[in-house]
Amino acid sequence: MDFLEGLNSQQREAVTHVGGPLLILAGAGSGKTRVITHRIAYLIHAHGVPPWNIVAVTFTNKAADEMRERVEKLLGGSYSLRGLVVSTFHSFCVRLLRRDGARLADVRPGFTRDFTIYDEDDQLAVIKAVYRHLGLDEKHFMQYRAALSRISYAKNHKQTPDDFLKSAKDPKSRQLGVVFEEYEGRLRQANALDFDDLLLETVRLLQFDEDTRRAYNERISHLLIDEYQDTNRSQYELMRLLTQTHQNVCVVGDEDQSIYSWRGADIRNILDFERDYPDAVTIRLEQNYRSTKTILAAAGAVVANNKERKGKTLWTAGPAGQKVGIYQALDGENEALFIADTIDRLISDDPSDRVAVLYRTNFQSRQIEEALRRYGRPYKVVGGFSFYQRAEIKDVLAYLKVIVSPQDSISLLRIINTPARGIGKSTVEQVERYALEHDLDLWQAIVRMLEEKRFPTRAEAALEAFRKLIEELREIAAVEPVDAVIRAVLDRTGYLATLKRDDSPDAESRVENLEELANAAAEAAERGEGIAEFLDHAALVADADSVDEQAQISLLTIHNAKGLEFPIVFIAGLEEGLFPHIRSLESESGMEEERRLCYVGMTRAQKRLFLTWARYRRRFGGGHSEPCIPSRFLSEVPAELTEALGRNEPAEVNLAAEQFLVRESVRRTTYTGKTYNSLDNIAEFFASRGRGREVAPPPPPQAKPVVVPPPAPPKPAARSSGKLTTGSVIQHPVYGRGTVVRREGDGEDAKLTVSFPGYGLKKLIAKYAGLKTGK
DNA sequence: TGATTGTTTGCTCCA
DNA sequence: CAAACAATCA
């Protein structure tokens, strides 16, 4: 096994330098994932390091899975990788706390290893409750999110509510200190940890509990940390605490790609590594294997405007490539149409090219999605509104949380009257008041109040039924696997029945989502996961984990694009106030971070890069357009590396020349219904549009629109749907060819489960999906 | 109590 | 425009 083959000399050095701290400064596209995976394989193979002595930390779960697979592949199956830990910091901490966290109770009273994880929505619910209790409101005091971010900042800087109160000078800060205090109190009472706590409490445990610390130090002989530039203070301390015995820590990062300071990432961690570990060896990877010379030079010129950096020069042996395309659109719609039109042409030329459309904020995806739909081009959106954020999913998960941890009052509040079971606002308030007075969690309060017969008869019956329900579910949970528990929740709470009674398309998709959740649970159960692990997974999945690298067109924020590469990249919305974002304009450091973000975005491109901006953009859906100033980043790209598209070169793209004409036709065809943000919903999209309406046949799919094609309407219902049986091959307007794997019902109303290569299983209603029998 | 309607207000980025 | 909240009515 030769792990050094195909590596350049710096990469080799990074792989083979063993013993002592190592800092790898890896520029964009310099093959750092490759270095890490090869290094792990090398440690195991050449140095006989047992896999269970190695811990590698990555930024996303997906990156972790991939890294593991790549190491496995490198070692060619001749080693078992049992015990090798590759995960995110957060997953690592959760596992550590669940396994060895019992003694944390000594420093965090009430803590048990069954703790719940509070995500941002839960945190918001806590803050809202605290505000309500203190008689504060968002308008006169502070926005919920602002308060949360201040609290998070304080926590990450090792401030307790007490410290905070002591250092508070003005009344507002003092008030916030009280909010902070109560926020922490409520989390403790619920035995819940927020995302900050997961890291912080692990640090505290390791500091306080010498046995655990020693055990982990002995076990971990080699620690590797990816994306080191985005670690925060607790992650840094964790690294220090875990490398006390062996100092074999290898960190890989690039200060030019630090884009998470708002999450506490501290760029000093990487800038000061050599000071923290005086015997550290530093290796620079400066050869880029990803982008063309032009793209690299353009991105480098932008980031060169930053002052806070070590400074490095990336070079590539690759071709010069085409110039960076810059397009000035009239407005957001026109920008989206330009992007869709250009993608359509590029993909028609070379279907193997994958394209990414990157943007600063999620809301920008909407218009681009609409434009792509009009061109009939399937796409995948990463992030935005994720599966686990949907109300129905959160509801069911809240039931699970309450089942596992009765103290979890936030989840309890969520489900106490969902579906409606006669426990109204006033009853809930009564319970809350009682709980507060007697220092109980809500569940305890309910039980006690029932015993003391404190409710009017109607409320009492409802609450008694609720208590029974939860207790029954708990009994089921004690013996049954997760998926069975979810089924029980869906059935016994009447949740599913309530949804099924509702015949809106919305309710229908909710049922499907729940179906999906149950499937996911069944898979988890097969892997031997319990409820707690399933919940952990749901809490720790990231948007970026859902990236589909096969997708031909991906829409995602630049943040989510970190670590990825695409042959063709568009960055949309390069306007002052949007990118750089308005909230970063005030401070120099905020500005520099935006610039790094721009650098990250640009360096995702392998062959072709387009930067677009709009002269007018609407802030809110219905409002009027506001004029925009082109982003400063556009002018930081040297003019000789760019070419203006549209306006001056109608041959290149016809849209600009016809801008106003385009707008006319766009106005007529704009779809004003619900927004859909993922490919999964496209079938539904077509379905709801086709309902009860006469529609013209769609344009031929491959037609090259000169200006803007009419929206691709759904194809008329296939008359032949009666013939569709298991095994039939059909043609879908979006997913292409697929095979029917299951059928429920007959004729036009038949529900089909179809397997589409590249998209997986999709459930379709024959009548609405616009299917044709394929050849 | 709970569903329906009316009104307001708002857009970072994310594990 | 659309979610979130408030107010109103059954």
Side-chain angles (χ1 to χ4, degrees), chain A residues 94-156:
Chain A
V94 168
R95 244 180 299 164
L96 192 152
L97 290 172
R98 292 243 186 260
R99 231 185 81 131
D100 305 301
R103 293 200 58 193
L104 187 60
D106 295 349
V107 278
R108 187 180 170 111
F111 175 88
T112 72
R113 283 153 58 221
D114 295 326
F115 65 90
T116 354
I117 301 171
Y118 274 4
D119 66 15
E120 200 179 340
D121 287 344
D122 299 323
Q123 289 179 283
L124 272 174
V126 175
I127 285 287
K128 282 180 192 172
V130 171
Y131 270 42
R132 228 181 312 128
H133 180 224
L134 297 175
L136 299 170
D137 74 279
E138 232 184 337
K139 251 181 256 137
H140 299 102
F141 181 57
M142 189 187 287
Q143 299 223 318
Y144 299 135
R145 279 173 197 284
L148 266 181
S149 106
R150 295 269 304 262
I151 289 172
S152 167
Y153 182 89
K155 285 170 80 159
N156 281 311

Side-chain angles (χ1 to χ4, degrees), chain A residues 400 481-484 486 515-527 529 534:
Chain A
L400 294 188
V482 213
D483 51 323
I486 288 184
E515 205 57 48
E516 201 116 320
L517 182 73
N519 290 341
E523 280 169 27
E526 262 169 45
R527 286 195 302 269
E529 290 178 19
F534 185 68

Side-chain angles (χ1 to χ4, degrees), chain A residues 32 36 40 54-61 63-65 67 84-93 95 199 220 222-228 231 235 238-239 242 249-252:
Chain A
K32 77 185 157 75
I36 299 177
I40 297 173
I54 301 174
V55 171
V57 184
T58 60
F59 208 70
T60 63
N61 301 292
D65 293 344
M67 193 168 282
L84 171 69
V85 174
V86 189
S87 77
T88 64
F89 266 112
H90 286 85
S91 304
F92 177 82
C93 290
R95 244 180 299 164
L199 305 172
I220 302 171
H222 290 268
L223 178 65
L224 298 94
I225 303 175
D226 192 11
E227 307 284 6
Y228 187 66
T231 51
Q235 289 164 334
L238 216 49
M239 169 185 81
L242 293 172
V249 56
C250 164
V251 303
V252 188

Side-chain angles (χ1 to χ4, degrees), chain A residues 270-463:
Chain A
I270 193 165
L271 296 177
D272 295 345
F273 186 83
E274 287 149 307
R275 199 203 57 204
D276 299 327
Y277 292 95
D279 358 321
V281 170
T282 302
I283 296 171
R284 286 162 185 269
L285 305 180
E286 295 188 311
Q287 181 175 4
N288 171 294
Y289 293 93
R290 180 185 294 151
S291 312
T292 64
K293 285 194 170 72
T294 304
I295 291 168
L296 207 56
V302 171
V303 81
N305 291 289
N306 275 358
K307 297 192 181 70
E308 279 278 319
R309 60 193 292 254
K310 291 195 173 212
K312 63 179 156 336
T313 328
L314 282 181
W315 62 278
T316 173
Q322 282 174 275
K323 297 203 162 167
V324 176
I326 294 187
Y327 179 72
Q328 176 193 127
L330 178 75
D331 59 13
E333 269 166 20
N334 182 249
E335 179 189 47
L337 287 166
F338 165 80
I339 291 171
D341 187 66
T342 311
I343 290 176
D344 191 63
R345 286 182 308 104
L346 288 169
I347 286 186
S348 303
D349 287 351
D350 185 352
S352 71
D353 274 345
R354 290 173 308 110
V355 185
V357 184
L358 309 182
Y359 34 79
R360 177 68 234 268
T361 59
N362 275 307
F363 83 96
Q364 289 169 265
S365 75
R366 191 172 168 262
Q367 282 186 317
I368 300 164
E369 285 179 68
E370 253 171 46
L372 284 167
R373 279 204 294 268
R374 225 164 264 164
Y375 277 74
R377 286 288 181 187
Y379 55 86
K380 287 239 166 161
V381 185
V382 179
F385 200 66
S386 81
F387 181 72
Y388 286 101
Q389 275 178 304
R390 288 166 193 278
E392 64 276 16
I393 302 299
K394 292 215 77 170
D395 287 342
V396 173
L397 292 180
Y399 272 102
L400 294 188
K401 287 188 188 182
V402 170
I403 290 168
V404 174
S405 172
Q407 302 167 68
D408 182 353
S409 297
I410 291 291
S411 297
L412 187 81
L413 272 181
R414 187 181 179 98
I415 54 157
I416 194 166
N417 203 31
T418 314
R421 52 171 71 86
I423 305 175
K425 217 161 96 188
S426 58
T427 309
V428 172
E429 268 168 21
Q430 209 184 329
V431 174
E432 280 185 302
R433 221 173 311 121
Y434 185 94
L436 221 54
E437 273 166 30
H438 297 80
D439 195 29
L440 299 171
D441 59 59
L442 294 185
W443 177 256
Q444 290 169 328
I446 291 171
V447 173
R448 281 261 289 271
M449 288 171 82
L450 281 171
E451 276 167 15
E452 295 170 11
K453 300 240 178 286
R454 283 173 178 271
F455 296 107
T457 30
R458 248 179 54 198
E460 175 172 310
L463 275 168

